[in-house]
Amino acid sequence: AEARKHDAAAIGIRPEHLTLGPEGIAAEVAAVDYLGSETIVRLKLDDSVVMARVQGKTDLVAGAATRLSWRPEDAHFFDESGVRRDGL
């Protein structure tokens, strides 16, 4: 049978490719680290912690609700052994 993308064990997306805004998957802000030209936002997503990198400073604060999205071409898929399977 042909494998499909939803059969992947994990998905990987670079922090700079994540978008925080009104659309996407619900997440809670765990921490915000302002670094001058960019901000690293740590997000709780179910039992995982996800990091997003945004340009400049954000108004988000720890405990705030936000949503997380990305372009489909920025997603990378991995099997259970950690091997990249973007062709799934």
Side-chain angles (χ1 to χ4, degrees):
E2 183 178 328
R4 296 169 299 220
K5 287 187 179 182
H6 65 270
D7 292 331
I11 184 173
I13 304 160
R14 293 184 181 274
E16 63 269 22
H17 292 153
L18 294 172
T19 301
L20 304 179
E23 296 182 16
I25 299 171
E28 178 185 341
V29 176
V32 178
D33 300 314
Y34 176 59
L35 304 175
S37 64
E38 65 188 23
T39 301
I40 303 298
V41 182
R42 282 183 286 228
L43 303 148
K44 293 179 190 173
L45 184 63
D46 294 326
D47 294 331
S48 299
V49 175
V50 176
M51 293 197 190
R53 185 171 84 184
V54 297
Q55 293 299 312
K57 194 170 186 178
T58 180
D59 292 333
L60 291 171
V61 296
T66 190
R67 292 194 168 268
L68 178 63
S69 62
W70 59 89
R71 298 179 313 173
E73 60 268 24
D74 291 331
H76 304 286
F77 300 91
F78 300 86
D79 65 18
E80 289 185 9
S81 63
V83 175
R84 190 168 163 178
R85 300 292 186 190
D86 285 346
L88 292 178

